[in-house]
Amino acid sequence: MDFQLYFLKEGTRVYEKADLITLLSATPNITVPDMTKNTGKFVFLFRHSVLDFEAKIIISDKSVVPHLERLNSRFYDVNVYVEFDVLSPNYAVEMLLDIVQEITSKFDFKVYIESYVYDVRPFKRAEIIKNFNSWKRAYADKHPEELSKFCKLDSQSISLVYGYLQKKKRLEITFDSSKIQISDYVFLHTTKSRSAFVAIKWDGEKQFILPPAVDLVMLDDGKVNRYISLSEIMMKAEKMFKPIDGYGSIQILDQRCIKKLHKLLVKEKFSPPYVELKQLTLDKIKDI
């Protein structure tokens, strides 16, 4: 199911369509349709490969606003709307709303969502996210069988994961990967729960980047292979890590502490996972 947001304009439906096309064409991650083909609508595809998120910004020849006749007659449909999967993560939707905000500001558009109950409103990010979350929750409650195909991370954790994935390329440029491990996430789950867990692997030999939202460290040094809770590690080794300037909650293991941390993880007692964990991919995780 798609969540849809419609644009309207007060007093007129006239706006500079060419300027909107120019704006969308210049926006990163947007694929521009063939404007020479008149198919009744032009679909500008917003695709973020890192987030595995897709949305459509559509310029149509005709109105698709539901119950348009019930809206305040001062507002005219400009036949432009946005749609995306109602189960999309909030982090990705926030990125899309940056584009929506730019459009509404530049062309003085107002917005309408069906749950506004026939009320056209100015763009307000928090209000749109609140409505989106209501639609997402209602859809999830009505279609539990669809949600059962996915595991779950809370919204804050999945936002931290996406944030790190976007910064990872810059980290790879900044640090020498032959000396420092630019950690990849490993996502895990159990067969009896929708809960997902976030892990990183470490070989016990290199200095490594510690991303945010990590639950487990998978130590695999060729002799020892074990899952260890990061919270338990940090109780004994928090001072071995230091923040990286300009990267928020991303940390790095102090080079002087590599052998010390490896010895700690091998020799100390840590609580083993109480369930069997299996790997999964990020596209199989939702924030609901």
Side-chain angles (χ1 to χ4, degrees), residues 12-28:
T12 179
R13 60 170 49 89
V14 176
Y15 73 97
E16 291 295 334
K17 185 182 291 187
D19 290 348
L20 176 57
I21 292 171
T22 298
L23 186 154
L24 295 174
S25 301
T27 301

Side-chain angles (χ1 to χ4, degrees), residues 152-255:
K152 179 184 177 182
L153 270 180
D154 65 82
S155 207
Q156 181 180 8
S157 293
I158 206 167
S159 292
L160 289 170
V161 166
Y162 283 135
Y164 173 74
L165 291 176
Q166 292 199 93
K167 295 172 183 174
K168 190 167 175 285
K169 284 187 177 180
R170 185 153 55 100
L171 286 167
E172 290 169 345
I173 295 172
T174 304
F175 295 96
D176 183 352
S177 59
S178 67
K179 298 178 180 179
I180 299 174
Q181 172 186 305
I182 315 300
S183 299
D184 291 312
Y185 282 124
V186 179
F187 301 101
L188 305 163
H189 74 108
T190 70
T191 56
K192 296 182 179 180
S193 169
R194 284 192 63 228
S195 295
F197 302 92
V198 184
I200 59 167
K201 287 184 178 181
W202 187 45
D203 61 7
E205 296 181 358
K206 292 172 68 175
Q207 190 179 11
F208 68 91
I209 302 292
L210 177 62
V214 170
D215 301 304
L216 299 165
V217 173
M218 304 165 64
L219 176 65
D220 185 359
D221 63 2
K223 297 179 180 179
V224 177
N225 192 320
R226 66 192 301 201
Y227 293 101
I228 307 170
S229 164
L230 180 64
S231 61
E232 289 190 39
I233 293 173
M234 285 308 202
M235 289 175 66
K236 302 177 182 183
E238 185 176 6
K239 292 182 180 180
M240 298 185 192
F241 295 88
K242 55 187 179 181
I244 304 174
D245 290 344
Y247 284 89
S249 56
I250 300 174
Q251 300 182 72
I252 188 169
L253 174 64
D254 192 315
Q255 187 178 19

Side-chain angles (χ1 to χ4, degrees), residues 56-73:
K56 297 175 182 177
I57 303 171
I58 300 169
I59 302 176
S60 178
D61 286 350
K62 59 183 180 180
S63 174
V64 295
V65 176
H67 311 297
L68 179 62
E69 73 283 356
R70 301 182 188 180
L71 302 186
N72 190 315
S73 59

Side-chain angles (χ1 to χ4, degrees), residues 90 128-138 287-288:
N90 283 22
I128 293 173
I129 286 292
K130 181 179 178 181
N131 273 268
F132 168 67
N133 280 327
S134 295
W135 279 76
K136 180 158 64 171
R137 170 52 60 191
D287 62 356
I288 186 170

